[in-house]
């Protein structure tokens, strides 16, 4: 199982390591998005166990802030069919609004398209998660649809599921290349 390390101006994207447990616990002790509730951590020991599992997945990468050597979030993907990937990201709230998610996602998408031979990448985003929606749009994803009452992550006080609306965004490799080439041309 090949481990990957990606380098951006401010971040390393790499596999999780045992020393990342405290940083992982810092942002998964209280997940802000319901879709990450199943990843909620309650102790340092639980974080260590989570890291042991995450480190087995070569497509699950920690976002490490170079300046502080701190894990500030993670990106992940699941391969479907021969050339399609679903993708996601989770960022510590303390580091939001600084462009780290965009920087990491750009590197990760380029990795999926050019190293993993992805043709299509898509993301599911909860309807109320405007930060992830804006990130998808900034990355060049197109909104493909809205799934009404698509999935339930929580239950109501009576125990019945609370279904959430979910948006689907996607981008093709040829679309990513076109956007990326335009950014290079504008920078010159």
């Amino acid at each position: 199982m090949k481990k990957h390390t990606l380098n951006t101006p401010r971040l390393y994207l790499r596999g999780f390591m045992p020393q990342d447990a405290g940083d992982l616990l810092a942002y998964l002790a209280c997940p802000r998005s319901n879709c990450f509730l199943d990843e909620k951590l309650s102790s340092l020991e639980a974080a260590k166990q989570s890291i042991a599992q995450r480190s087995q997945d070569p497509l699950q990468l920690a976002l490490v802030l170079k300046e502080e050597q701190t894990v500030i979030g993670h990106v992940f993907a699941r391969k479907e069919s021969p050339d399609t990937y679903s993708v996601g990201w989770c960022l510590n709230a303390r580091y939001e609004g600084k462009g780290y998610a965009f920087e990491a996602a750009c590197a990760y998408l380029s990795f999926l398209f050019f190293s993993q031979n992805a043709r299509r990448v898509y993301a599911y985003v909860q309807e109320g998660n405007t930060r992830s929606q804006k990130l998808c749009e900034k990355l060049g994803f197109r909104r493909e649809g809205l799934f009404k009452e698509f999935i339930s992550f929580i239950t109501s006080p009576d125990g019945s599921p609370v279904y959430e609306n979910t948006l689907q965004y996607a981008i093709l490799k040829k679309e990513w290349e076109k956007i990326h080439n335009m950014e290079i041309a504008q920078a010159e």
Side-chain angles (χ1 to χ4, degrees), residues 94-160:
R94 290 184 46 217
Y95 297 93
E96 283 184 349
K98 297 174 173 65
Y100 294 126
F102 180 75
E103 187 175 323
C106 282
Y108 195 60
L109 289 168
S110 288
F111 162 74
L112 291 175
F113 286 126
F114 302 113
S115 295
Q116 301 299 301
N117 298 313
R119 177 190 56 83
R120 172 182 160 78
V121 175
Y122 72 91
Y124 287 133
V125 180
Q126 289 174 262
E127 188 175 42
N129 189 345
T130 56
R131 283 192 177 270
S132 278
Q133 291 169 33
K134 288 178 182 175
L135 178 57
C136 284
E137 291 163 6
K138 186 175 179 181
L139 290 165
F141 281 67
R142 87 189 92 64
R143 183 175 152 179
E144 292 190 324
L146 170 66
F147 298 97
K148 299 295 270 183
E149 297 185 9
F150 183 63
I151 193 163
S152 173
F153 298 106
I154 59 174
T155 58
S156 65
D158 70 2
S160 62

Side-chain angles (χ1 to χ4, degrees), residues 142-181:
R142 87 189 92 64
R143 183 175 152 179
E144 292 190 324
L146 170 66
F147 298 97
K148 299 295 270 183
E149 297 185 9
F150 183 63
I151 193 163
S152 173
F153 298 106
I154 59 174
T155 58
S156 65
D158 70 2
S160 62
V162 176
Y163 288 97
E164 299 184 25
N165 296 339
T166 302
L167 298 163
Q168 181 173 320
Y169 287 88
I171 189 166
L172 299 172
K173 181 178 183 179
K174 62 186 173 186
E175 293 168 329
W176 180 256
E177 289 174 320
K178 183 177 179 183
I179 292 166
H180 196 67
N181 287 336

Side-chain angles (χ1 to χ4, degrees), residues 53-91:
Q53 293 171 339
R54 290 170 193 275
S55 66
Q56 299 302 308
D57 182 349
L59 295 178
Q60 180 125 194
L61 301 179
L63 310 181
V64 182
L65 191 58
K66 288 179 179 179
E67 189 175 290
E68 300 174 15
Q69 292 300 303
T70 302
V71 173
I72 63 169
H74 64 279
V75 291
F76 56 91
R78 288 185 189 90
K79 185 174 183 180
E80 299 175 9
S81 66
D83 55 7
T84 297
Y85 289 78
S86 65
V87 67
W89 40 76
C90 185
L91 191 69

